[in-house]
Amino acid sequence: MSASPEVQTEVRGRILDAAADAFMRTGYAATTIDDIARAVGATKGLLYYHFRAKFDLFLAVYEEGMRRVRERVEPHAHAGGTGRERLVAMAIAHELNLMEDLAYHHVVHQAVRGEVAGGLKVRQRDALQTLNGLRHEYERMFRRVLVDGIEDGSLRRVDPSLATRTLLSNLNAVDVWYRRIDGQTSAEVDELARQIVDLLIGGLAA
């Protein structure tokens, strides 16, 4: 008898978490299905039951990472307040997602840097392009709110595309040095995210 949909979802989630962690620690190329199966405590057969190939698993992690960050950030884009207030809230939500789902964030970055683009089947290349399109739309969401801030006077007049890419690049660069410390509370993580965003959006000017 096959497992219930709830159990299937739970197993798939554990596979995605293990794969994200493995891809972050050793990179896509060096990670094997065996590595991920051992981390899950399952057989390779179970992984291949859910995913046709390692790259399909990578795509699923990428998609889940984008789903999580968008789900957390998008409500702030449509909330009340000035463009700057909404942009700050979005940036904090993005940074909290990065720090809490660091492995998924690393996988998205591997895709952005083109570390997995070689030797793909047509269906895989098409799926990767679709996910990259979701990432570009995520960036455009930030740009639209930034433009709102320029128009309402809460942000100074800058090149919106340059400002958006600079902001997101710096928010994302935190993954180079951030690792959660044992005993670090959620309140401490939240305060760190707020300090980072204040520096990036508020700047260093007195």
Side-chain angles (χ1 to χ4, degrees):
M1 185 172 67
S2 61
S4 68
E6 292 79 9
V7 171
Q8 296 275 18
T9 299
E10 190 270 335
V11 170
R12 190 177 190 276
R14 287 197 291 114
I15 293 172
L16 291 179
D17 287 347
D21 185 63
F23 292 142
M24 177 179 72
R25 286 186 290 103
T26 60
Y28 173 78
T31 299
T32 68
I33 288 291
D34 283 315
D35 296 330
I36 300 168
R38 278 194 298 270
V40 177
T43 64
K44 286 197 299 184
L46 178 65
L47 269 65
Y48 284 125
Y49 173 80
H50 287 273
F51 304 98
R52 294 167 66 180
K54 183 176 78 168
F55 189 75
D56 295 292
L57 177 51
F58 181 90
L59 288 173
V61 175
Y62 183 177
E63 183 175 19
E64 176 65 8
M66 288 303 306
R67 184 194 67 78
R68 291 185 184 190
V69 70
R70 179 135 197 170
E71 186 176 82
R72 188 157 192 169
V73 171
E74 189 167 18
H76 299 290
H78 305 297
T82 66
R84 175 169 176 153
E85 288 168 343
R86 288 152 54 209
L87 187 68
V88 166
M90 291 167 67
I92 291 172
H94 178 96
E95 207 66 345
L96 286 171
N97 171 266
L98 180 153
M99 291 189 282
E100 293 169 10
D101 282 335
L102 189 62
Y104 283 88
H105 185 84
H106 269 270
V107 168
V108 173
H109 263 196
Q110 288 178 40
V112 171
R113 291 192 296 263
E115 296 177 13
V116 295
L120 302 182
K121 296 180 173 63
V122 172
R123 65 174 179 82
Q124 293 173 329
R125 187 168 60 249
D126 290 345
L128 180 59
Q129 289 176 349
T130 297
L131 289 175
N132 286 338
L134 293 178
R135 183 175 52 79
H136 291 315
E137 176 53 34
Y138 181 75
E139 180 179 308
R140 286 192 290 271
M141 179 173 65
F142 273 82
R143 185 184 183 280
R144 287 193 293 269
V145 173
L146 194 147
V147 169
D148 288 345
I150 293 172
E151 293 177 349
D152 68 26
S154 61
L155 294 169
R156 65 189 180 92
R157 294 203 166 272
V158 293
D159 181 306
S161 294
L162 176 62
T164 300
R165 289 174 181 169
T166 299
L167 174 61
L168 285 172
S169 294
N170 282 278
L171 289 172
N172 292 334
V174 171
D175 74 355
V176 174
W177 56 264
Y178 176 78
R179 298 296 182 272
R180 189 152 191 161
I181 302 168
D182 287 342
Q184 189 176 32
T185 67
S186 296
E188 289 170 335
V189 173
D190 184 80
E191 177 58 24
L192 176 58
R194 292 176 184 278
Q195 289 181 31
I196 292 167
V197 171
D198 181 63
L199 285 171
L200 293 177
I201 296 180
L204 298 174

